[in-house]
Amino acid sequence: MIKIATAKGDGIGPEIMDAVIKIFKSAEVPIEFVPIDMGKYMYDKGFSTGMTPEAKSTIETLGILFKGPMETPKGKGVKSINVTARKVWNTYANKRVFRSLNGVDTVFSRAGIPIDITIVRENIEDTYGGIEHMLTHDVALCRRFITRPGSLQVHHYAFKMAQKKGAKKVTCGHKANIMKITDGLFLETFYEVAKEYPDIVANDVIVDDLAMKLVVKPGEFDVVVLPNLQGDIISDLCAGLVGGLGFAPSANIGDNISIFEAVHGTAPDIAGKGIANPTALLLSGIMMLRHVGLLDRAASIENALLYTLEQGAHTSDFGKPGTQSLSTNDYAEAIIGNLGKQPVHSTPVTSAKDQITFAPPTPLTKNRILESPKQKGEIIGVDFFVESDEQPTAVAQTFEQSLTDSFQLQLISNRGTQVWPTGSLFTECMNQYRVRVMSKDEKAVTQSNIWSEVIRVSEKLKICSVEMLMTYDGKKSFSLAQGQ
């Protein structure tokens, strides 16, 4: 008997979770669902993380969390419990499967265009670190982290999953044409990993082009891997192709802990009415069964679901107009009644013998530090982020008067666009500049050298932030300004 930490969630969460567990028990799935306290109601009770310490301990002991939709309180300065859970337990790969379901009417189903796309979204990094600051009263800054080890983790998962699925192609979605350092690193590591899978075609598409092609020619894609924010947006786009988030299962995979959840909202307007659609949570649960090795049970339940949809059974949010909608419980009962049956108009899921491969995580004594091979790093300059209402030429003059002979002013930009030494008077500026200072002849300097310059400049200008300009193995590792 496998123990699974289970949180029913908020809004319609308890109703759809009860329906799914009922189906699993009827299918004699050998799982013990261990209830934990987690969700908005725990914020309301004063738990700032949205869960009790006991709930956290249970999840870390069992290694799997099965959760319903959860709401984060608005206006209370707390982080999303959904994002926090994924990040705290390093579930670095978010897998979402989008495929046409017979009985779920969409533009593509009416056109006879089948969809079967798997999105793998990096789940930890990017802007989802939520590290933001006001540099001035008018200028907000968000730090975006893309790391080499983190990117390698999600790419390895995407290719291994694609290989297991029998996929022929993995596509990397990105914006490396603009974010050349961050998305550039994500794309670079994608092709590094692709070399290990010569039987799988690897290609890349700029994310805006990807969005258009997914709508126009979805059949061109099989597995798509993206950075966190882009993956979040593209995932919802793909959900729209197959009928909405009510049919979009989600798995958050980590090396120690994994989370399976419904990613749709809590729908408080229909909570308690018994009409919610449990399909997405059921499909997420089926993914969970396969994750632990209950392959035969997963196939049986999925085939029953497909058969039920083919027969026209539906809740009030979908289905053929003019036909009777089922309650959440009756919909679950219909699926239970069809256990053992296979779909006629869809390809049945091939059954396989259960192979329990899952084991709870080994207790840890320290944090794991992710690293890649070291490179020689040298400091050759610094970007100052300063607050000023002055013209660019005045800011430049202040710096030139403040810097020692070891450093020279190279450029000034505003909102990423160069405004000194060349630029346009039509470039509108905010009260915050990025000022790039380089060492003479771009020779390596120490942190102490840099901080001495910072102190000198700070006597005349407000410094909001600084960033060291690095080279690694002799390669410049910082971006240029627009117009430079």
Side-chain angles (χ1 to χ4, degrees):
M1 186 72 71
I2 300 172
K3 292 185 176 182
I4 303 293
T6 308
K8 293 185 177 182
D10 304 307
I12 61 172
E15 300 163 62
I16 60 175
M17 182 63 78
D18 287 344
V20 171
I21 291 177
K22 186 176 184 179
I23 294 169
F24 280 10
K25 288 183 176 179
S26 297
E28 298 181 349
V29 174
I31 285 179
E32 178 184 344
F33 295 94
V34 180
I36 60 170
D37 292 316
M38 182 180 184
K40 179 180 179 295
Y41 69 100
M42 297 311 299
Y43 284 116
D44 295 340
K45 290 184 178 181
F47 293 91
S48 61
T49 60
M51 72 182 86
T52 62
E54 293 78 15
K56 179 175 180 290
S57 176
T58 298
I59 294 166
E60 293 180 353
T61 298
L62 301 181
I64 294 184
L65 170 62
F66 188 35
K67 63 182 283 293
M70 293 184 180
E71 178 183 349
T72 300
K74 297 178 178 61
K76 296 187 177 181
V78 296
K79 297 284 189 178
S80 162
I81 190 171
N82 303 301
V83 175
T84 298
R86 297 167 197 160
K87 290 171 65 64
V88 165
W89 293 308
N90 206 63
T91 60
Y92 52 80
N94 177 224
K95 174 186 175 183
R96 297 190 190 180
V97 179
F98 306 94
R99 62 189 176 112
S100 303
L101 297 171
N102 196 298
V104 180
D105 184 52
T106 69
V107 172
F108 292 95
S109 67
R110 290 194 294 273
I113 301 174
I115 292 174
D116 187 359
I117 301 169
T118 301
I119 299 293
V120 179
R121 163 191 171 194
E122 194 287 317
N123 222 16
I124 306 297
E125 303 178 348
D126 204 345
T127 55
Y128 281 65
I131 301 174
E132 300 177 301
H133 300 87
M134 293 298 296
L135 295 188
T136 77
H137 69 281
D138 280 336
V139 180
L141 171 73
C142 176
R143 289 181 180 265
R144 183 175 195 250
F145 291 97
I146 301 290
T147 70
R148 185 178 302 277
S151 298
L152 289 171
Q153 277 186 323
V154 72
H155 291 321
H156 276 295
Y157 173 80
F159 277 94
K160 287 178 183 177
M161 183 274 297
Q163 189 177 60
K164 188 175 181 180
K165 175 188 174 186
K168 297 180 180 180
K169 181 169 69 172
V170 177
T171 301
C172 179
H174 63 89
K175 197 65 178 173
N177 58 323
I178 302 299
M179 293 176 283
K180 298 180 185 296
I181 303 294
T182 50
D183 271 36
L185 178 58
F186 191 80
L187 182 59
E188 175 189 327
T189 51
F190 170 78
Y191 280 114
E192 285 179 18
V193 174
K195 293 176 183 178
E196 302 176 28
Y197 299 85
D199 296 334
I200 298 176
V201 175
N203 72 328
D204 67 274
V205 183
I206 295 172
V207 68
D208 41 328
D209 187 29
L210 171 64
M212 180 188 70
K213 287 179 176 176
L214 282 167
V215 174
V216 176
K217 296 181 179 179
E220 290 186 3
F221 300 96
D222 193 341
V223 174
V224 184
V225 60
L226 303 106
N228 203 334
L229 177 59
Q230 297 167 21
D232 193 3
I233 295 167
I234 293 297
S235 292
D236 276 20
L237 182 152
C238 289
L241 304 180
V242 298
L245 290 172
F247 305 96
S250 177
N252 303 282
I253 306 299
D255 291 335
N256 296 294
I257 297 170
S258 295
I259 303 169
F260 298 84
E261 61 182 340
V263 293
H264 56 67
T266 58
D269 55 322
I270 63 169
K273 296 182 179 180
I275 60 174
N277 179 4
T279 305
L281 187 61
L282 177 60
L283 288 168
S284 299
I286 291 170
M287 290 171 68
M288 180 178 69
L289 298 185
R290 292 198 172 96
H291 179 75
V292 300
L294 294 171
L295 309 179
D296 181 60
R297 302 302 206 290
S300 175
I301 296 171
E302 187 168 353
N303 281 328
L305 169 63
L306 296 175
Y307 180 86
T308 302
L309 291 171
E310 284 186 354
Q311 298 305 304
H314 63 91
T315 49
S316 60
D317 59 318
F318 75 103
K320 188 175 181 180
T323 59
Q324 182 180 1
S325 299
L326 300 180
S327 68
T328 307
N329 184 65
D330 288 344
Y331 181 72
E333 289 289 354
I335 296 170
I336 291 168
N338 290 324
L339 287 168
K341 297 179 181 178
Q342 294 192 344
V344 177
H345 304 294
S346 307
T347 303
V349 181
T350 303
S351 181
K353 185 177 180 181
D354 288 347
Q355 299 177 1
I356 307 299
T357 54
F358 173 77
T362 302
L364 302 177
T365 58
K366 58 183 180 180
N367 292 94
R368 178 186 175 193
I369 305 298
L370 299 176
E371 290 185 297
S372 60
K374 295 288 187 183
Q375 297 181 12
K376 182 182 179 181
E378 293 183 327
I379 305 170
I380 61 171
V382 59
D383 273 349
F384 289 84
F385 296 84
V386 300
E387 180 176 350
S388 176
D389 294 316
E390 299 286 343
Q391 286 291 306
T393 52
V395 175
Q397 185 177 20
T398 299
F399 266 83
E400 288 175 330
Q401 293 172 350
S402 302
L403 297 173
T404 64
D405 292 338
S406 300
F407 290 86
Q408 59 187 4
L409 178 62
Q410 185 181 79
L411 70 89
I412 300 176
S413 67
N414 197 287
R415 292 190 286 181
T417 302
Q418 180 171 286
V419 292
W420 186 92
T422 61
S424 170
L425 293 178
F426 288 96
T427 301
E428 296 181 342
C429 297
M430 300 299 299
N431 62 346
Q432 189 268 315
Y433 291 94
R434 185 264 303 265
V435 181
R436 176 159 293 174
V437 171
M438 303 294 292
S439 62
K440 287 288 180 66
D441 300 320
E442 297 187 2
K443 292 182 178 179
V445 295
T446 66
Q447 288 192 78
S448 296
N449 299 143
I450 295 294
W451 289 117
S452 294
E453 302 300 318
V454 171
I455 292 171
R456 291 173 64 88
V457 172
S458 68
E459 293 175 355
K460 296 183 179 180
L461 286 169
K462 176 188 173 184
I463 299 175
C464 307
S465 179
V466 296
E467 287 289 346
M468 303 293 179
L469 301 180
M470 305 293 300
T471 64
Y472 289 99
D473 287 350
K475 180 181 177 182
K476 290 183 178 179
S477 301
F478 46 89
S479 63
L480 301 178
Q482 297 292 337
Q484 184 179 358

PDB file of all heavy atoms in Angstrom, residues 134-137 384-388 398-399 431-433 454 457-465:
ATOM      1  N   MET A 134      11.527  48.229  -5.626  1.00  0.00           N
ATOM      2  CA  MET A 134      11.343  49.551  -6.207  1.00  0.00           C
ATOM      3  C   MET A 134      12.700  50.259  -6.164  1.00  0.00           C
ATOM      4  O   MET A 134      13.241  50.514  -5.083  1.00  0.00           O
ATOM      5  CB  MET A 134      10.307  50.352  -5.427  1.00  0.00           C
ATOM      6  CG  MET A 134       8.889  49.814  -5.503  1.00  0.00           C
ATOM      7  SD  MET A 134       8.176  49.795  -7.165  1.00  0.00           S
ATOM      8  CE  MET A 134       8.139  51.572  -7.546  1.00  0.00           C
ATOM      9  N   LEU A 135      13.291  50.533  -7.334  1.00  0.00           N
ATOM     10  CA  LEU A 135      14.572  51.226  -7.369  1.00  0.00           C
ATOM     11  C   LEU A 135      14.400  52.720  -7.115  1.00  0.00           C
ATOM     12  O   LEU A 135      15.254  53.363  -6.505  1.00  0.00           O
ATOM     13  CB  LEU A 135      15.255  50.998  -8.715  1.00  0.00           C
ATOM     14  CG  LEU A 135      15.674  49.554  -9.016  1.00  0.00           C
ATOM     15  CD1 LEU A 135      16.509  49.502 -10.279  1.00  0.00           C
ATOM     16  CD2 LEU A 135      16.443  48.938  -7.855  1.00  0.00           C
ATOM     17  N   THR A 136      13.318  53.278  -7.634  1.00  0.00           N
ATOM     18  CA  THR A 136      12.905  54.641  -7.318  1.00  0.00           C
ATOM     19  C   THR A 136      11.393  54.580  -7.121  1.00  0.00           C
ATOM     20  O   THR A 136      10.788  53.496  -7.269  1.00  0.00           O
ATOM     21  CB  THR A 136      13.235  55.633  -8.457  1.00  0.00           C
ATOM     22  OG1 THR A 136      12.279  55.483  -9.511  1.00  0.00           O
ATOM     23  CG2 THR A 136      14.645  55.413  -9.003  1.00  0.00           C
ATOM     24  N   HIS A 137      10.761  55.709  -6.839  1.00  0.00           N
ATOM     25  CA  HIS A 137       9.308  55.663  -6.649  1.00  0.00           C
ATOM     26  C   HIS A 137       8.573  55.383  -7.952  1.00  0.00           C
ATOM     27  O   HIS A 137       7.384  55.053  -7.949  1.00  0.00           O
ATOM     28  CB  HIS A 137       8.812  56.984  -6.040  1.00  0.00           C
ATOM     29  CG  HIS A 137       8.906  58.160  -6.977  1.00  0.00           C
ATOM     30  ND1 HIS A 137      10.083  58.827  -7.216  1.00  0.00           N
ATOM     31  CD2 HIS A 137       7.962  58.766  -7.737  1.00  0.00           C
ATOM     32  CE1 HIS A 137       9.864  59.807  -8.080  1.00  0.00           C
ATOM     33  NE2 HIS A 137       8.585  59.793  -8.418  1.00  0.00           N
ATOM     34  N   PHE A 384      26.261  50.443 -12.593  1.00  0.00           N
ATOM     35  CA  PHE A 384      25.616  51.195 -11.523  1.00  0.00           C
ATOM     36  C   PHE A 384      24.159  51.466 -11.931  1.00  0.00           C
ATOM     37  O   PHE A 384      23.912  51.902 -13.065  1.00  0.00           O
ATOM     38  CB  PHE A 384      26.297  52.556 -11.323  1.00  0.00           C
ATOM     39  CG  PHE A 384      27.660  52.507 -10.714  1.00  0.00           C
ATOM     40  CD1 PHE A 384      28.772  52.275 -11.503  1.00  0.00           C
ATOM     41  CD2 PHE A 384      27.838  52.723  -9.357  1.00  0.00           C
ATOM     42  CE1 PHE A 384      30.046  52.260 -10.948  1.00  0.00           C
ATOM     43  CE2 PHE A 384      29.100  52.713  -8.797  1.00  0.00           C
ATOM     44  CZ  PHE A 384      30.211  52.477  -9.596  1.00  0.00           C
ATOM     45  N   PHE A 385      23.236  51.245 -11.041  1.00  0.00           N
ATOM     46  CA  PHE A 385      21.848  51.655 -11.245  1.00  0.00           C
ATOM     47  C   PHE A 385      21.606  52.816 -10.290  1.00  0.00           C
ATOM     48  O   PHE A 385      21.599  52.637  -9.067  1.00  0.00           O
ATOM     49  CB  PHE A 385      20.893  50.485 -10.972  1.00  0.00           C
ATOM     50  CG  PHE A 385      21.072  49.347 -11.940  1.00  0.00           C
ATOM     51  CD1 PHE A 385      22.050  48.388 -11.735  1.00  0.00           C
ATOM     52  CD2 PHE A 385      20.273  49.249 -13.067  1.00  0.00           C
ATOM     53  CE1 PHE A 385      22.238  47.348 -12.629  1.00  0.00           C
ATOM     54  CE2 PHE A 385      20.440  48.210 -13.977  1.00  0.00           C
ATOM     55  CZ  PHE A 385      21.434  47.255 -13.756  1.00  0.00           C
ATOM     56  N   VAL A 386      21.449  54.007 -10.863  1.00  0.00           N
ATOM     57  CA  VAL A 386      21.398  55.204 -10.034  1.00  0.00           C
ATOM     58  C   VAL A 386      20.092  55.956 -10.262  1.00  0.00           C
ATOM     59  O   VAL A 386      19.491  55.889 -11.330  1.00  0.00           O
ATOM     60  CB  VAL A 386      22.584  56.146 -10.326  1.00  0.00           C
ATOM     61  CG1 VAL A 386      23.898  55.438 -10.038  1.00  0.00           C
ATOM     62  CG2 VAL A 386      22.548  56.663 -11.762  1.00  0.00           C
ATOM     63  N   GLU A 387      19.665  56.678  -9.230  1.00  0.00           N
ATOM     64  CA  GLU A 387      18.477  57.521  -9.335  1.00  0.00           C
ATOM     65  C   GLU A 387      18.909  58.949  -9.638  1.00  0.00           C
ATOM     66  O   GLU A 387      19.750  59.511  -8.944  1.00  0.00           O
ATOM     67  CB  GLU A 387      17.672  57.481  -8.043  1.00  0.00           C
ATOM     68  CG  GLU A 387      16.416  58.352  -8.083  1.00  0.00           C
ATOM     69  CD  GLU A 387      15.571  58.242  -6.826  1.00  0.00           C
ATOM     70  OE1 GLU A 387      15.851  57.352  -5.987  1.00  0.00           O
ATOM     71  OE2 GLU A 387      14.633  59.057  -6.667  1.00  0.00           O
ATOM     72  N   SER A 388      18.312  59.514 -10.688  1.00  0.00           N
ATOM     73  CA  SER A 388      18.632  60.886 -11.040  1.00  0.00           C
ATOM     74  C   SER A 388      17.571  61.462 -11.964  1.00  0.00           C
ATOM     75  O   SER A 388      17.070  60.762 -12.849  1.00  0.00           O
ATOM     76  CB  SER A 388      19.999  60.973 -11.739  1.00  0.00           C
ATOM     77  OG  SER A 388      20.259  62.298 -12.154  1.00  0.00           O
ATOM     78  N   THR A 398      28.982  63.727 -13.796  1.00  0.00           N
ATOM     79  CA  THR A 398      29.157  63.371 -12.383  1.00  0.00           C
ATOM     80  C   THR A 398      30.041  62.142 -12.247  1.00  0.00           C
ATOM     81  O   THR A 398      30.934  62.089 -11.383  1.00  0.00           O
ATOM     82  CB  THR A 398      27.792  63.124 -11.727  1.00  0.00           C
ATOM     83  OG1 THR A 398      27.003  64.314 -11.798  1.00  0.00           O
ATOM     84  CG2 THR A 398      27.958  62.711 -10.272  1.00  0.00           C
ATOM     85  N   PHE A 399      29.823  61.143 -13.062  1.00  0.00           N
ATOM     86  CA  PHE A 399      30.637  59.929 -12.994  1.00  0.00           C
ATOM     87  C   PHE A 399      32.079  60.213 -13.385  1.00  0.00           C
ATOM     88  O   PHE A 399      33.020  59.719 -12.733  1.00  0.00           O
ATOM     89  CB  PHE A 399      30.044  58.839 -13.903  1.00  0.00           C
ATOM     90  CG  PHE A 399      29.125  57.897 -13.171  1.00  0.00           C
ATOM     91  CD1 PHE A 399      27.798  58.237 -12.951  1.00  0.00           C
ATOM     92  CD2 PHE A 399      29.586  56.693 -12.678  1.00  0.00           C
ATOM     93  CE1 PHE A 399      26.941  57.383 -12.277  1.00  0.00           C
ATOM     94  CE2 PHE A 399      28.744  55.829 -11.993  1.00  0.00           C
ATOM     95  CZ  PHE A 399      27.416  56.165 -11.785  1.00  0.00           C
ATOM     96  N   ASN A 431      13.556  58.303 -14.074  1.00  0.00           N
ATOM     97  CA  ASN A 431      14.528  58.848 -13.117  1.00  0.00           C
ATOM     98  C   ASN A 431      15.478  57.779 -12.591  1.00  0.00           C
ATOM     99  O   ASN A 431      15.882  57.795 -11.430  1.00  0.00           O
ATOM    100  CB  ASN A 431      13.799  59.529 -11.948  1.00  0.00           C
ATOM    101  CG  ASN A 431      12.931  58.566 -11.161  1.00  0.00           C
ATOM    102  OD1 ASN A 431      12.651  57.455 -11.613  1.00  0.00           O
ATOM    103  ND2 ASN A 431      12.509  58.994  -9.985  1.00  0.00           N
ATOM    104  N   GLN A 432      15.827  56.841 -13.450  1.00  0.00           N
ATOM    105  CA  GLN A 432      16.762  55.789 -13.047  1.00  0.00           C
ATOM    106  C   GLN A 432      17.592  55.383 -14.264  1.00  0.00           C
ATOM    107  O   GLN A 432      17.052  55.054 -15.333  1.00  0.00           O
ATOM    108  CB  GLN A 432      15.997  54.572 -12.498  1.00  0.00           C
ATOM    109  CG  GLN A 432      16.854  53.502 -11.860  1.00  0.00           C
ATOM    110  CD  GLN A 432      17.256  52.425 -12.857  1.00  0.00           C
ATOM    111  OE1 GLN A 432      16.436  51.948 -13.628  1.00  0.00           O
ATOM    112  NE2 GLN A 432      18.527  52.059 -12.830  1.00  0.00           N
ATOM    113  N   TYR A 433      18.916  55.447 -14.108  1.00  0.00           N
ATOM    114  CA  TYR A 433      19.836  55.140 -15.197  1.00  0.00           C
ATOM    115  C   TYR A 433      20.667  53.903 -14.848  1.00  0.00           C
ATOM    116  O   TYR A 433      20.979  53.647 -13.678  1.00  0.00           O
ATOM    117  CB  TYR A 433      20.799  56.298 -15.445  1.00  0.00           C
ATOM    118  CG  TYR A 433      20.165  57.540 -16.036  1.00  0.00           C
ATOM    119  CD1 TYR A 433      19.728  58.579 -15.200  1.00  0.00           C
ATOM    120  CD2 TYR A 433      20.035  57.698 -17.405  1.00  0.00           C
ATOM    121  CE1 TYR A 433      19.164  59.739 -15.734  1.00  0.00           C
ATOM    122  CE2 TYR A 433      19.470  58.849 -17.954  1.00  0.00           C
ATOM    123  CZ  TYR A 433      19.038  59.862 -17.106  1.00  0.00           C
ATOM    124  OH  TYR A 433      18.478  61.003 -17.644  1.00  0.00           O
ATOM    125  N   VAL A 454      32.319  52.563  -5.956  1.00  0.00           N
ATOM    126  CA  VAL A 454      30.938  52.714  -5.495  1.00  0.00           C
ATOM    127  C   VAL A 454      30.861  53.783  -4.404  1.00  0.00           C
ATOM    128  O   VAL A 454      29.966  54.640  -4.403  1.00  0.00           O
ATOM    129  CB  VAL A 454      30.375  51.364  -4.981  1.00  0.00           C
ATOM    130  CG1 VAL A 454      29.020  51.570  -4.295  1.00  0.00           C
ATOM    131  CG2 VAL A 454      30.244  50.368  -6.120  1.00  0.00           C
ATOM    132  N   VAL A 457      31.230  57.297  -5.957  1.00  0.00           N
ATOM    133  CA  VAL A 457      30.036  57.735  -6.694  1.00  0.00           C
ATOM    134  C   VAL A 457      28.893  58.028  -5.733  1.00  0.00           C
ATOM    135  O   VAL A 457      28.121  58.980  -5.922  1.00  0.00           O
ATOM    136  CB  VAL A 457      29.624  56.667  -7.730  1.00  0.00           C
ATOM    137  CG1 VAL A 457      28.279  57.028  -8.371  1.00  0.00           C
ATOM    138  CG2 VAL A 457      30.704  56.525  -8.807  1.00  0.00           C
ATOM    139  N   SER A 458      28.772  57.221  -4.682  1.00  0.00           N
ATOM    140  CA  SER A 458      27.648  57.365  -3.749  1.00  0.00           C
ATOM    141  C   SER A 458      27.658  58.700  -3.006  1.00  0.00           C
ATOM    142  O   SER A 458      26.649  59.110  -2.442  1.00  0.00           O
ATOM    143  CB  SER A 458      27.654  56.216  -2.736  1.00  0.00           C
ATOM    144  OG  SER A 458      28.769  56.300  -1.869  1.00  0.00           O
ATOM    145  N   GLU A 459      28.783  59.386  -3.012  1.00  0.00           N
ATOM    146  CA  GLU A 459      28.850  60.694  -2.367  1.00  0.00           C
ATOM    147  C   GLU A 459      28.110  61.763  -3.178  1.00  0.00           C
ATOM    148  O   GLU A 459      27.754  62.812  -2.652  1.00  0.00           O
ATOM    149  CB  GLU A 459      30.315  61.098  -2.174  1.00  0.00           C
ATOM    150  CG  GLU A 459      31.048  60.203  -1.167  1.00  0.00           C
ATOM    151  CD  GLU A 459      32.529  60.536  -1.082  1.00  0.00           C
ATOM    152  OE1 GLU A 459      32.988  61.395  -1.884  1.00  0.00           O
ATOM    153  OE2 GLU A 459      33.233  59.947  -0.238  1.00  0.00           O
ATOM    154  N   LYS A 460      27.847  61.450  -4.471  1.00  0.00           N
ATOM    155  CA  LYS A 460      27.211  62.453  -5.335  1.00  0.00           C
ATOM    156  C   LYS A 460      25.870  61.987  -5.911  1.00  0.00           C
ATOM    157  O   LYS A 460      25.062  62.816  -6.316  1.00  0.00           O
ATOM    158  CB  LYS A 460      28.162  62.811  -6.473  1.00  0.00           C
ATOM    159  CG  LYS A 460      29.440  63.483  -6.010  1.00  0.00           C
ATOM    160  CD  LYS A 460      30.306  63.890  -7.178  1.00  0.00           C
ATOM    161  CE  LYS A 460      31.570  64.592  -6.691  1.00  0.00           C
ATOM    162  NZ  LYS A 460      32.441  65.013  -7.825  1.00  0.00           N
ATOM    163  N   LEU A 461      25.647  60.675  -5.978  1.00  0.00           N
ATOM    164  CA  LEU A 461      24.413  60.143  -6.560  1.00  0.00           C
ATOM    165  C   LEU A 461      23.866  59.017  -5.692  1.00  0.00           C
ATOM    166  O   LEU A 461      24.629  58.304  -5.017  1.00  0.00           O
ATOM    167  CB  LEU A 461      24.671  59.584  -7.969  1.00  0.00           C
ATOM    168  CG  LEU A 461      24.884  60.589  -9.105  1.00  0.00           C
ATOM    169  CD1 LEU A 461      25.377  59.860 -10.345  1.00  0.00           C
ATOM    170  CD2 LEU A 461      23.599  61.338  -9.412  1.00  0.00           C
ATOM    171  N   LYS A 462      22.541  58.848  -5.714  1.00  0.00           N
ATOM    172  CA  LYS A 462      21.930  57.718  -5.015  1.00  0.00           C
ATOM    173  C   LYS A 462      22.090  56.460  -5.868  1.00  0.00           C
ATOM    174  O   LYS A 462      21.617  56.400  -7.004  1.00  0.00           O
ATOM    175  CB  LYS A 462      20.444  57.967  -4.763  1.00  0.00           C
ATOM    176  CG  LYS A 462      19.746  56.770  -4.107  1.00  0.00           C
ATOM    177  CD  LYS A 462      18.250  56.941  -4.037  1.00  0.00           C
ATOM    178  CE  LYS A 462      17.590  55.657  -3.539  1.00  0.00           C
ATOM    179  NZ  LYS A 462      16.108  55.748  -3.555  1.00  0.00           N
ATOM    180  N   ILE A 463      22.757  55.472  -5.318  1.00  0.00           N
ATOM    181  CA  ILE A 463      22.949  54.198  -6.011  1.00  0.00           C
ATOM    182  C   ILE A 463      21.853  53.233  -5.559  1.00  0.00           C
ATOM    183  O   ILE A 463      21.722  52.935  -4.371  1.00  0.00           O
ATOM    184  CB  ILE A 463      24.341  53.608  -5.717  1.00  0.00           C
ATOM    185  CG1 ILE A 463      25.429  54.571  -6.194  1.00  0.00           C
ATOM    186  CG2 ILE A 463      24.492  52.250  -6.386  1.00  0.00           C
ATOM    187  CD1 ILE A 463      26.832  54.135  -5.839  1.00  0.00           C
ATOM    188  N   CYS A 464      21.067  52.771  -6.507  1.00  0.00           N
ATOM    189  CA  CYS A 464      19.967  51.846  -6.188  1.00  0.00           C
ATOM    190  C   CYS A 464      20.450  50.402  -6.128  1.00  0.00           C
ATOM    191  O   CYS A 464      19.962  49.602  -5.329  1.00  0.00           O
ATOM    192  CB  CYS A 464      18.866  51.948  -7.240  1.00  0.00           C
ATOM    193  SG  CYS A 464      18.265  53.616  -7.544  1.00  0.00           S
ATOM    194  N   SER A 465      21.399  50.080  -7.005  1.00  0.00           N
ATOM    195  CA  SER A 465      21.868  48.699  -7.098  1.00  0.00           C
ATOM    196  C   SER A 465      23.142  48.688  -7.935  1.00  0.00           C
ATOM    197  O   SER A 465      23.408  49.633  -8.685  1.00  0.00           O
ATOM    198  CB  SER A 465      20.807  47.809  -7.748  1.00  0.00           C
ATOM    199  OG  SER A 465      21.251  46.467  -7.866  1.00  0.00           O
TER     200      SER A 465
END
